Amino acid sequence: MTLAADTTEAVPFNKLLEHVIRSPGREPSPQPVHLSLPNGAHHRMLSDESAGYVAPKFEGKEKQMEQVMDQIEQIGFVPAEFIETETSWFYNDLGIDDMYFQTETVAAIVNHVLSLYAAKVAAYARDDKRLEIRLDKEAADHAVCIDTSKPGISIMDGPRYEQRIDEKYLNPSVPTNSYRVETFRSAGKLPGDSEQQLRCYFVYKCQFANPNPAPEETSLDVIGDKTFLQKATANTKELYKEVIKNAVARTGPVIEMFEIEASREKRLVIAYRQGSAMSLFSALSDLYHYYGLTSSRKYVEQFSNGITVMSLYLRPLPLSLATARHPPIEASIHQIMKEVSLLYCIPQNKFQAHFASGRLSLQETIYAHCVWVFVGHFLNRLGSEYTSLHSLLDPTNSVHAEILSKIKRRLRTETFTADYILEIIHGYPDLVRALYLAFANTHYVQTRGERDDFLPTLSYLRLQVDKIMTDDELKSLIGKSVANEHHEMVMTAFRVFNAAVLKTNFYTPTKVALSFRLDPSFLPEVEYPQPLFGMFLVISSEFRGFHLRFRDIARGGIRIVKSRNNEAYSINARSLFDENYNLANTQQRKNKDIPEGGSKGVILLDVHHQDKAKVAFEKYIDSIMDLLLKPSSPGIKDPIVDLYGQEEILFMGPDENTADLVNWATEHARVRGAPWWKSFFTGKSPKLGGIPHDAYGMTTLSVREFVLGIYRKMNLDPSKVRKLQTGGPDGDLGSNEILLSNEKYTSIVDGAGVLVDPNGINHDELIRLAKKRAMISEFNTSKLSPEGFRVLVEDVDVKLPSGEVINNGMIYRNTFHLRGGHHFDTFVPCGGRPESIDLSSVGKLIIDGKSTIPYIVEGANLFITQDAKLRLEKAGAILFKDASANKGGVTSSSLEVLASLSFDDKGFIENMCVGDDGSVPQFYSDYVKEVQSTIKANAYLEFEAIWREHQQTRLPRSTLSDTLSIAITKLDEELQKSDLWDNVALRHSVLRDALPQLLIKKLGLETILQRVPNNYLRSIFGSYLASRFVYEFGANPSQFAFFDFMSKRMAKLTLQEQPRVSPSPTAQLTNGLNGIHIVNGINGSAGTNGIKEAHAIKEVHAIKEAHGVKEAHPNGINGAAA
């Protein structure tokens, strides 16, 4: 359905469609949520007779009723003259259908009738004469709850049956164990009470026609519950079939409304995926009560394809209960529909009590909930002591930075716990309302002015009644209203939040989670010295998450963090932003060879939703896309107020707990019409154009280049090198390191345990395990020498060949890399926990001031802390850190992104997507080889640069790694801003060298320049020149080094490439270098023996030939085909 075109006659003070700041030309975005629109072309009217359910007639009802009266008479509690009237009232006046009477036993019905009569008697003993009935009964496969209820009122105390039904039956429902709900409101009033009615709830366990259908199955005869199929009218079945079909095709809920013929009653139907909205059933009651409506009937139906459908029959409150603030149902029903997606995002927010009581609106309470999350992460609670310490230490020194990070974690004490912040906000609902009005005044969009089909919500109506305060006025109001300094800090954070939000999907009628694009400038520099470029905050009931990036063009993985218990969750929540910031910062240093800066996304699952990883990931991705894509249709994807005003593209990849979800994200971006869907995620299936790192050993190729570099410089024969490796043949990095290696493995540690053989572990058996991706628990121990042994984590009291007894295999595995008694020449961590070697344990690897392991290449991220690395280097170890050694994966991902940006959709599918039959395009095979060569060349260049710098300066290699990264990053940023980019000939010359030659040969440079975004090309230009310069001249070259470097490149430009009339190359270079600052080098001079890239690549090939490393490794790393 679509809204009819209209023109706005009167322009209200709020934002109108044509006033919304947004980038032109972005592609359309179909909705993840289906929302029917009022006055649409397919508006439907239901006749009352065909609207819902018809219970099969219970033929034995009259006979059963006689039996019930007989038993009541025998009990003797009800006077004889009342037995028939009480029983008849129960059977005929409460709206209970025949299914209940057919299901329940006579004894159970007798019990219910007696309970209701007892409640009436008890009411006469009360001073207020109020009738209060609380009745519930639970059996193995069904439950009954009966409660007194005043229409349109949410009861905050009492049994809260709807919340209990949500928690016990609806929230845990899965296709294999689902429950359906029917609830009715009695038509008549209760005796002696003119306002109260009875509300009856009936819960039944589902019995599906087919318990295991295909997920996309929509035939009700296949997926329906047997009772539903028996009771539902033909009209209801047709209606449900349509909404289920829509729900299967979407991420979020389907929201439909139907008129009831000759009645003001409306039927609201909501369909969504099981488990994607917890406690929505009870939350909906608070929503329609807020707008002055009540329900006559409600149904919750489950289907075995995993879809839940709720059907609510809503009507206005009786005149005696209605108030002037409630809009007519014809208007409020559309407001409710619009807010269902807000409720779907957070069904039970932290301020639900204020909403249920009518003190605050749904928007105001969910706004407060979001700011509560924000405050918990960003309330500055480190104090002046941390600032003083920060000023004494050098944050650019990696050791000092690590110390500051640890102290910051310790100083973040429990002064402002989440509960304390919540308590403070709860105390100031009037302040919340005033602060919300300022937020709404900025971000609410009325697409058609006063004639908008979606009438503004009650919160918006306040914008026209209540005064919108300026920030200074809000500051003054907070100062006057709060009780103390702590309260002022918390409430002031609302102002910080309002000022930071650049765009949000808060007012988009269809959404699955709430997303906010924030301006990160509010972050204190003392805590976060490296400024962020972009920041997204995403909030849902199942999770909270951030996406942080240090540059406009940036890439990094998305990880999901799980928590074992409440304590672990509290720790994870407190450190969530800092962990995300540090991960993105590390990625920034690692990405020095590629055009993308560093970014990272972290999703923290709520403590009660640890099983919702897939749901959380899908909502996180979809809600961020809401802020990246142009809306497609008013009322479905309304325009958003975009204070950033520029197009944004994010590049993401897999990380912890998300590797199996990236295919969905890629496909979802395509379905939503994202023009960059091909490049949105790396790590996807080869069938979607992905280049899997593990299949082609991308990360290992970089690590291996550093290992080979040490052997080359030290003139070592790899076959005689004794090697220790953590991370075994079952892992990506570990298995590929084994497949590429020809050293003498003497020890391997993996998840299964420890494998040792001082005479060398059988290489053929290791290769077998690596190809199979199996743990060392599957190693054939008959192939060990007499001195060899294996200890598994489950082993106890194992006697080694030396006579030593190992009491606990798990402890032995965890500490093996720190134990003495074994001799190793090389240690390559390819797996293991972060900080496995830290300052407190590194002493075990140093004897008499000398490192027991002379050569270490850190393949696994963060395996050794920075201070421990420096201790090892001081003790003589030659050590290369993770940020340098394992950058192959990010290089592969970057080149995968570049290919996807360069091809159009047709060319991408033809050249980069492996066929369903496994056929690999020739271009794909050749491109993978070029990616592998680029990884090795980049690793070679960095190894040589670090080695040379260490020889010249004697600074630790792990420090030089960071120094080079920072130097490349800073120079890259300056180059992108310089005038050098404007020199077209130079630009083309650099890009010809920087871009993969296969892409240029296939598409041509001009085509690539047309298709790849300009800011991405600038990033390629800057990163290529910066990395090549720093690798050649070091991190601190002379002030003339860069001029010399660029002069040589300018001299390469042919006369044909120069414009007909232009300044000399030297003059162009002088103009272009404005604003680029190169500091004096070490000892006042630059390194003169810098390597050239062509020489580097040539030497890489020579190394490969010398060590027998081929492009397509015979032991399993693919050089061409998957």
Side-chain angles (χ1 to χ4, degrees), residues 498-675:
N498 284 358
V501 177
L502 297 177
K503 50 185 172 178
T504 176
N505 69 349
F506 193 93
Y507 295 104
T508 300
T510 55
K511 53 189 168 287
V512 294
L514 295 168
S515 55
F516 304 89
R517 167 61 161 93
L518 302 175
D519 176 357
S521 61
F522 69 88
L523 294 172
E525 186 179 352
V526 68
E527 290 188 55
Y528 306 101
Q530 184 73 15
L532 284 168
F533 181 90
M535 175 178 175
F536 288 85
L537 168 62
V538 186
I539 301 172
S540 176
S541 58
E542 297 88 2
F543 71 94
R544 62 181 66 175
F546 289 98
H547 185 275
L548 309 178
R549 73 189 199 274
F550 281 93
R551 283 201 200 153
D552 183 15
I553 300 296
R555 73 165 308 281
I558 308 298
R559 66 170 52 182
I560 294 175
V561 177
K562 298 182 177 181
S563 311
R564 295 186 307 276
N565 49 42
N566 279 317
E567 183 182 4
Y569 175 78
S570 297
I571 294 169
N572 289 336
R574 282 200 301 273
S575 63
L576 175 64
F577 181 80
D578 282 0
E579 177 186 338
N580 196 337
Y581 179 90
N582 292 332
L583 287 168
N585 207 4
T586 300
Q587 194 76 32
Q588 171 82 348
R589 292 196 298 272
K590 193 185 292 187
N591 288 10
K592 50 186 165 285
D593 294 329
I594 62 175
E596 300 97 338
S599 72
K600 209 72 172 182
V602 178
I603 300 168
L604 175 65
L605 293 178
D606 184 81
V607 67
H608 302 299
H609 298 289
Q610 294 299 299
D611 58 338
K612 295 290 190 303
K614 183 173 183 292
V615 169
F617 179 82
E618 291 181 358
K619 289 187 175 184
Y620 174 89
I621 294 298
D622 189 78
S623 59
I624 286 180
M625 289 178 67
D626 283 344
L627 303 185
L628 302 179
L629 294 171
K630 177 183 174 182
S632 60
S633 53
I636 296 295
K637 283 293 178 190
D638 279 347
I640 59 174
V641 176
D642 186 353
L643 300 180
Y644 182 60
Q646 299 179 42
E647 184 175 9
E648 292 188 277
I649 303 175
L650 302 183
F651 300 105
M652 303 178 179
D655 205 317
E656 291 178 14
N657 299 312
T658 61
D660 58 341
L661 301 173
V662 298
N663 286 347
W664 175 89
T666 303
E667 182 62 23
H668 188 63
R670 186 188 66 79
V671 169
R672 285 200 62 178

Side-chain angles (χ1 to χ4, degrees), residues 30-48:
Q31 63 274 24
V33 179
H34 177 92
L35 178 65
S36 66
L37 302 179
N39 306 325
H42 303 288
H43 185 65
R44 281 172 292 182
M45 180 77 69
L46 302 178
S47 66
D48 191 41

Side-chain angles (χ1 to χ4, degrees), residues 672-690:
R672 285 200 62 178
W676 29 258
W677 69 269
K678 304 187 298 295
S679 58
F680 187 39
F681 258 86
T682 56
K684 53 189 176 288
S685 163
K687 292 181 180 179
L688 292 171

Side-chain angles (χ1 to χ4, degrees), residues 80-325:
E81 62 269 24
F82 293 157
I83 291 176
E84 184 174 354
T85 55
E86 290 297 321
T87 307
S88 177
W89 176 71
F90 183 83
Y91 266 77
N92 301 319
D93 295 349
L94 295 186
I96 302 173
D97 70 18
D98 283 11
M99 178 62 67
Y100 163 80
F101 297 107
Q102 193 166 356
T103 305
E104 291 292 350
T105 63
V106 170
I109 296 171
V110 168
N111 185 40
H112 292 166
V113 174
L114 291 175
S115 298
L116 291 174
Y117 178 76
K120 292 179 185 180
V121 174
Y124 286 101
R126 294 170 58 124
D127 292 337
D128 58 5
K129 306 299 181 187
R130 184 164 169 261
L131 179 61
E132 191 171 88
I133 295 171
R134 303 279 187 267
L135 186 75
D136 59 88
K137 174 182 178 289
E138 293 180 304
D141 59 351
H142 69 281
V144 178
C145 305
I146 301 176
D147 188 16
T148 43
S149 166
K150 184 180 291 187
I153 303 296
S154 293
I155 304 299
M156 303 305 296
D157 52 9
R160 298 178 68 79
Y161 286 133
E162 291 195 352
Q163 286 78 5
R164 286 166 60 178
I165 289 170
D166 262 333
E167 292 167 8
K168 185 164 184 177
Y169 298 104
L170 298 182
N171 290 352
S173 281
V174 292
T176 54
N177 186 35
S178 296
Y179 290 86
R180 59 184 298 273
V181 178
E182 299 181 18
T183 172
F184 311 95
R185 179 177 295 280
S186 63
K189 302 290 189 298
L190 291 177
D193 194 319
S194 61
E195 293 182 345
Q196 290 205 112
Q197 297 173 321
L198 277 188
R199 166 70 77 179
C200 306
Y201 300 90
F202 304 97
V203 182
Y204 302 101
K205 184 165 184 167
C206 294
Q207 296 181 349
F208 293 118
N210 180 354
N212 298 298
E216 65 277 3
E217 179 63 65
T218 58
S219 170
L220 294 187
D221 291 334
V222 176
I223 62 175
D225 166 71
K226 293 178 181 178
T227 302
F228 166 78
L229 294 174
Q230 189 179 20
K231 293 180 64 175
T233 62
N235 180 286
T236 290
K237 290 178 181 178
E238 188 62 32
L239 187 157
Y240 275 36
K241 181 180 178 181
E242 181 180 330
V243 297
I244 289 171
K245 185 177 179 181
N246 284 322
V248 166
R250 284 173 169 76
T251 317
V254 172
I255 306 163
E256 290 272 11
M257 187 272 290
F258 302 89
E259 308 275 357
I260 304 296
E261 192 175 32
S263 167
R264 293 185 70 195
E265 192 168 75
K266 315 292 180 185
R267 184 178 185 183
L268 188 62
V269 179
I270 303 164
Y272 59 93
R273 296 177 185 274
Q274 277 183 345
S276 65
M278 299 288 113
S279 301
L280 184 61
F281 177 64
S282 55
L284 282 168
S285 296
D286 292 336
L287 178 59
Y288 61 72
H289 288 166
Y290 182 81
Y291 283 104
L293 302 183
T294 186
S295 63
S296 58
R297 294 170 283 167
K298 295 191 286 190
Y299 301 92
V300 182
E301 298 293 354
Q302 310 283 2
F303 296 88
S304 59
N305 64 347
I307 298 295
T308 298
V309 180
M310 292 185 183
S311 188
L312 289 68
Y313 291 79
L314 302 177
R315 58 176 57 165
L317 286 177
L319 291 176
S320 60
L321 296 174
T323 66
R325 84 179 183 97

